[in-house]
Amino acid sequence: MQKKIKNIVVTCAFVIFLALFAGLCVTRYFRPAEISESERRPLAQFPENITWAGIIDKTVINGFEDYSVDQFPFREWFRALKANFQLKVLCLNENNGLAVKNDYIAKVEQDFTPELLEYSIGRLQYVYEKFLKENGGNKYVALIPDKNYFFAKDYGYPSPDYEKLAEQVKNALNGMEYIDLFGELELTDYYRTDTHWSQDKIGAVADKLAQAMGAADRINSEYTENTLYPFKGVYYGQSALLPKPDTIVYLTNEILDSCTVYDYETGQTGKIYDFEKFEGNDGYDFFLSGTKALLRIDNPNATTDKELVIFRDSFGSSLSPLLVEGYKSVYLVDIRYVVPDLLDRFIDFENKDVLFLYSALILNSKSFK
């Protein structure tokens, strides 16, 4: 009798469990989540057009599989359980391509993709040939290592060949002076939960660039440190580990406070730091309002008429303010979002200093496509 009661209880519990999950799945069907805030990506939705042709070629089936995974009840809890089990119980080196060392999270890449590098570097070479080769002014190029570089150097993780990448860039842009930044950085200069570097940790990088470009005597590098918390970087949600958020430390002084930023895309003028953007999906957009095709930072207190053009990715958003004091104006160009052939409509490159500043992470991505 006792065994019978036990079986009934177990069976009832199992049925209730199935009914609960079935009910949650039905609820999800009528009210599906549209985005994953932690992963910063849209979630798959239930297939709209279900046809026999779609079933036969498996597009409907594949779509339903993506939907069922993305809309699974308690998905975030299960993601966290899996990540912690993989890294802390099984002691694996990574989970879904992300590794963790001393609370620093990095995406692990074993090699660069030659086709992506060739295309990205080719785009930079095109800009050089079209606008810079025959113009006056000094021309520089610098690479920014991603956190993967330090995971390999400090902890023995697999790594792409960064020296080979540097040689590719120098050979393709042999008319520009290469500035080696790798020795000025270490893992602790980056945010723990994000890909980017922390502005208060890159003074040595800014100094080296300023020295190479002849602007060091115009920059005093005296700043006041200010903080914003919490900053949940891109790896905060992707890792599913829910680590402690970072703190954004940003630098100010009278020069930076007086600078204005003109956005060629919107025609509006703003400031170097955008406090509203900090409250958005990506707190790093606080620096120069995030992704922008073409900006101009004007320094009304400049002691020179020299101007600087920086071709950059998002790493340049937090670095460029540290170079502003040395120039009358600093142009920031992101050729991922503007057609290069149009640039001479907005910028006269004659006799301007030009810096190509790109992270290895971006050059080895589809961003330039």
Side-chain angles (χ1 to χ4, degrees), residues 47-331:
E48 293 184 0
N49 300 317
I50 300 178
T51 63
W52 279 114
I55 294 174
I56 293 173
D57 64 18
K58 296 185 179 181
T59 55
V60 171
I61 296 174
N62 292 335
F64 180 78
E65 287 180 353
D66 293 338
Y67 159 81
S68 61
V69 170
D70 277 3
Q71 302 294 340
F72 192 79
F74 305 113
R75 178 174 176 272
E76 292 298 322
W77 185 84
F78 283 112
R79 287 183 65 241
L81 178 64
K82 173 181 176 290
N84 281 281
F85 184 76
Q86 294 263 81
L87 297 173
K88 298 178 181 179
V89 178
L90 298 181
C91 296
L92 298 181
N93 286 331
E94 60 183 89
N95 175 58
N96 292 336
L98 296 180
V100 183
K101 283 294 181 182
N102 294 331
D103 296 330
Y104 282 84
I105 307 172
K107 184 179 180 182
V108 176
E109 297 282 0
Q110 296 194 23
D111 203 357
F112 293 129
T113 303
E115 294 79 13
L116 293 177
L117 291 183
E118 182 179 354
Y119 187 85
S120 300
I121 296 172
R123 292 270 283 173
L124 302 183
Q125 191 175 29
Y126 176 78
V127 171
Y128 170 77
E129 295 286 341
K130 184 173 180 63
F131 297 112
L132 309 178
K133 187 175 182 179
E134 302 300 329
N135 283 336
N138 302 308
K139 309 168 187 67
Y140 310 91
V141 58
L143 292 176
I144 304 168
D146 56 277
K147 287 197 286 187
N148 192 140
Y149 172 78
F150 302 99
F151 268 57
K153 183 168 68 75
D154 299 338
Y155 302 112
Y157 276 77
S159 168
D161 191 338
Y162 289 89
E163 290 185 4
K164 182 179 178 181
L165 171 61
E167 288 302 318
Q168 283 183 261
V169 170
K170 286 189 280 188
N171 291 335
L173 302 169
N174 56 18
M176 307 182 76
E177 178 183 340
Y178 179 76
I179 307 173
D180 187 356
L181 302 179
F182 281 62
E184 313 304 318
L185 290 162
E186 55 188 27
L187 181 60
T188 54
D189 295 331
Y190 295 71
Y191 296 114
R192 291 177 293 100
T193 68
D194 198 61
T195 59
H196 297 100
W197 50 24
S198 183
Q199 190 186 54
D200 61 308
K201 301 289 184 66
I202 56 175
V205 171
D207 289 345
K208 185 159 188 178
L209 290 171
Q211 287 283 354
M213 296 189 298
D217 60 339
R218 302 192 297 270
I219 302 175
N220 64 33
S221 300
E222 294 182 2
Y223 303 100
T224 299
E225 293 188 356
N226 312 269
T227 60
L228 292 171
Y229 182 86
F231 170 48
K232 299 177 180 180
V234 64
Y235 296 145
Y236 178 89
Q238 288 183 7
S239 68
L241 297 171
L242 299 182
K244 181 181 178 181
D246 281 291
T247 297
I248 283 184
V249 180
Y250 64 98
L251 306 178
T252 58
N253 59 21
E254 292 184 1
I255 300 296
L256 295 184
D257 291 342
S258 66
C259 289
T260 58
V261 181
Y262 180 73
D263 185 340
Y264 284 84
E265 192 173 351
T266 64
Q268 297 180 342
T269 300
K271 306 297 287 184
I272 287 176
Y273 302 122
D274 189 334
F275 290 88
E276 289 186 7
K277 290 289 186 179
F278 178 72
E279 304 296 335
N281 291 331
D282 187 350
Y284 186 78
D285 287 347
F286 165 77
F287 296 100
L288 294 176
S289 301
T291 300
K292 296 289 182 178
L294 181 58
L295 300 173
R296 187 187 70 242
I297 306 175
D298 293 319
N299 175 12
N301 297 303
T303 59
T304 178
D305 289 330
K306 291 186 71 66
E307 295 182 317
L308 171 66
V309 181
I310 304 178
F311 288 84
R312 53 89 185 209
D313 54 29
S314 54
F315 279 80
S317 295
S318 55
L319 175 74
S320 55
L322 306 186
L323 300 175
V324 165
E325 192 173 357
Y327 293 90
K328 177 184 177 182
S329 296
V330 176
Y331 295 82

Side-chain angles (χ1 to χ4, degrees), residues 13-39:
F14 182 66
V15 170
I16 292 172
F17 177 81
L18 290 180
L20 176 62
F21 262 80
L24 290 172
C25 289
V26 171
T27 302
R28 280 281 195 171
Y29 172 78
F30 289 105
R31 298 180 62 183
E34 294 184 359
I35 62 170
S36 169
E37 293 185 2
S38 63
E39 297 173 276

